[in-house]
Amino acid sequence: MRVSVIGGSRVDEATAERARAVGRLLAERGYVVVCGGLGGVMEAVCAGASEAGGETVGILPTADRRDANEYVDTAVATGLGHARNAMVVMNGDAVVAIDGGAGTLSELGFAGVFDRPVAGLGTHDVAGVEAVDTPEQAVDYVAAALEG
């Protein structure tokens, strides 16, 4: 199964550490991590998953696969800019949102459209997002939704 992780492209160290932990925990449970493939939360979650031996997919806004962060195993170039946000969410069976701005908010909207369960860790307070306090709670929530 795949879990999309969405969030800010520029984050502080504490947020990056939370994202790295989410990536590690997802990989330890055997989930493939899907993200937007660039920096911030995307890079941190891929780093955590990679360190735990997990698989990562980056769905890029650009037309060049080489733009992916160094921890992306499979880079998908789209050339779509922010329109690729729908693809990021669509390619996960569940979503973890960490931090984020307007781009993350659009992805949360697509999560609702595609009926994906969403755990929110320090992100937007919107309908359909289960607010959690820790990376462990985020991963437990999506695991229960997927396996329950």
Side-chain angles (χ1 to χ4, degrees):
M1 291 215 200
R2 297 176 179 180
V3 176
S4 298
V5 180
I6 59 176
S9 59
R10 288 183 216 101
V11 297
D12 61 27
E13 189 56 38
T15 302
E17 282 306 312
R18 284 192 295 278
R20 187 180 216 111
V22 166
R24 178 180 46 78
L25 292 165
L26 289 170
E28 287 172 354
R29 290 193 186 207
Y31 295 114
V32 173
V33 170
V34 178
C35 70
L38 298 177
V41 163
M42 299 169 278
E43 183 171 12
V45 75
C46 287
S50 181
E51 291 163 1
E55 182 182 348
T56 61
V57 176
I59 300 177
L60 301 164
T62 63
D64 190 343
R65 292 188 316 261
R66 294 173 295 182
D67 291 337
N69 73 63
E70 66 181 292
Y71 304 103
V72 169
D73 295 315
T74 303
V76 179
T78 68
L80 295 173
H82 288 289
R84 70 72 155 90
N85 291 358
M87 295 175 63
V88 172
V89 174
M90 186 186 311
N91 280 281
D93 300 297
V95 177
V96 175
I98 305 168
D99 188 61
T104 303
L105 186 57
S106 77
E107 289 167 316
L108 290 171
F110 285 119
V113 169
F114 300 131
D115 198 30
R116 301 297 196 260
V118 181
L121 187 57
T123 194
H124 303 279
D125 180 15
V126 296
V129 176
E130 178 71 23
V132 297
D133 296 319
T134 67
E136 292 80 10
Q137 289 174 343
V139 173
D140 286 345
Y141 177 79
V142 296
L146 294 175
E147 299 166 8

